[in-house]
Amino acid sequence: MFKAARMAMFAALFAGVAGPALAADLAEPQPVEQAPPPIVEAQPVNVGGWYIRGDIDYHWSRFGGGDYTTYSATPPQIQGSFATGSLKGAFSAGAGIGYQIDDHFRTDLTGDYLFSSNFHGSTSGFCNTPAPNTPCVSSDTSSYSALLLLANAYVDIGTWHGITPYVGAGIGGAWVKWDTLHNSDADGDFFHQGGKGWRFAYALMAGASYCLTDRVKLDVGYRYSHINGGKMFEYASDSNVGPGYDRGINVHEVRGGLRYQFGGQSDCAPPPEPYVPEPEPIYTK
C-alpha cells in the first residue's frame, strides 16, 4: 500500500515538472520561410499613334528622253527626238502626316515641292541657213518643277540603340510644270510655252531613323521616284515645231527630316519598369 502511494506521488511530481516544459516546447512557433515575391514580366511597349514629319532633300533628276513633231507644208510630218538631254540637281522640301500602326508598320501621306531643275538638251534637224535643208544642231534650255504627292507604307525592321532602319514604297501623282523652252539654231531663237499637268508617280525608299527624344526622331534616307511622261512644251508657229513630250523623269533623292509622334507609346520611350508587389506580412501565434 505504501509502495503504491509512493508511486502515485512520484507520478504527480513528474507531471508537475514535465508538463510546463512540454507545454513550452509545444507553444514555441516553428520557423516559417518567407515566400519570394512574384516576378511580374515587363509588358511589351505598345507603339502607335499619329505623327507629323518635315523633310528637305537634294535630288538629281534624270531626263528619260523627249519627242516632238516638226510640221511641213505637206505630209507626212516629221517626228523628231532629243539627241541629248540632262537635268541639274536641285533642292526640295516637304511635309506629311502619318500613323504608326505598331512597332513594325506605319503609313503616311506626303507632299514634296521639287524646286526648279535646269534642263539642257540638243536636237538634230535641218535649217534654212545658209541654204534650205541644211543639217544643223539646235541647243535647247528650260527647267521643270513639280509637286509630288504620295501615299506611303513602311516596314520598320527593328530598333537597336535608338536606330530603326526601314524600307518603304509610295504611290500617287505629280503636278509637273515645264518652263518656257528656248530653242536656238542657225535660223535664230525660238520659244515654246512649257507644258504642265498631272502625272502618275511612284516611289521606293530606304533609310533609318534615330531617337532624339522620346517623341522626336531624326529621319535620314534615300528615295527613288519615277514620274510618268507628259507634255513638255507647246507648238510654236514661228518654228512649226511642237508639241513636245518628255518620256518621264527619274528622281534620286538624299533626304533628311524630323518626325514628331503625338499619341500612343513611342518606341523611343524607355520601357516601363517591371512591377514587383511588396510581400504580405506573415503573422505567427
Side-chain angles (χ1 to χ4, degrees), residues 37 39 45-46 75 83 85 88 95 101 133 160 173 175 182 204 280 283:
I39 299 176
V45 177
N46 182 21
K88 297 292 186 180
I101 300 171
N133 296 322
W160 296 272
W175 172 264
H182 177 200
L204 301 171
E280 296 183 359
Y283 300 94

Side-chain angles (χ1 to χ4, degrees), residues 33-39 275-283:
E33 293 185 2
Q34 185 175 346
I39 299 176
Y275 171 71
V276 180
E278 294 185 0
E280 296 183 359
I282 299 175
Y283 300 94

Side-chain angles (χ1 to χ4, degrees), residues 126-135 187:
F126 298 93
C127 296
N128 293 320
T129 303
N133 296 322
T134 300
D187 290 337

Side-chain angles (χ1 to χ4, degrees), residues 131-182:
N133 296 322
T134 300
C136 64
V137 176
S138 68
S139 175
D140 300 88
T141 58
S142 182
S143 63
Y144 94 96
S145 56
L147 174 63
L148 181 61
L149 302 178
L150 294 172
N152 309 290
Y154 309 87
V155 176
D156 291 330
I157 299 172
T159 301
W160 296 272
H161 305 289
I163 300 175
T164 306
Y166 65 84
V167 294
I171 189 172
W175 172 264
V176 177
K177 181 181 182 299
W178 282 96
D179 292 332
T180 299
L181 177 73
H182 177 200

Side-chain angles (χ1 to χ4, degrees), residues 58-62 222-225 250-254:
Y58 191 83
H59 60 269
W60 296 265
S61 300
R62 296 292 180 262
Y222 163 81
R223 183 170 76 178
Y224 164 79
S225 304
N250 296 320
V251 184
H252 302 270
E253 306 171 62
V254 176

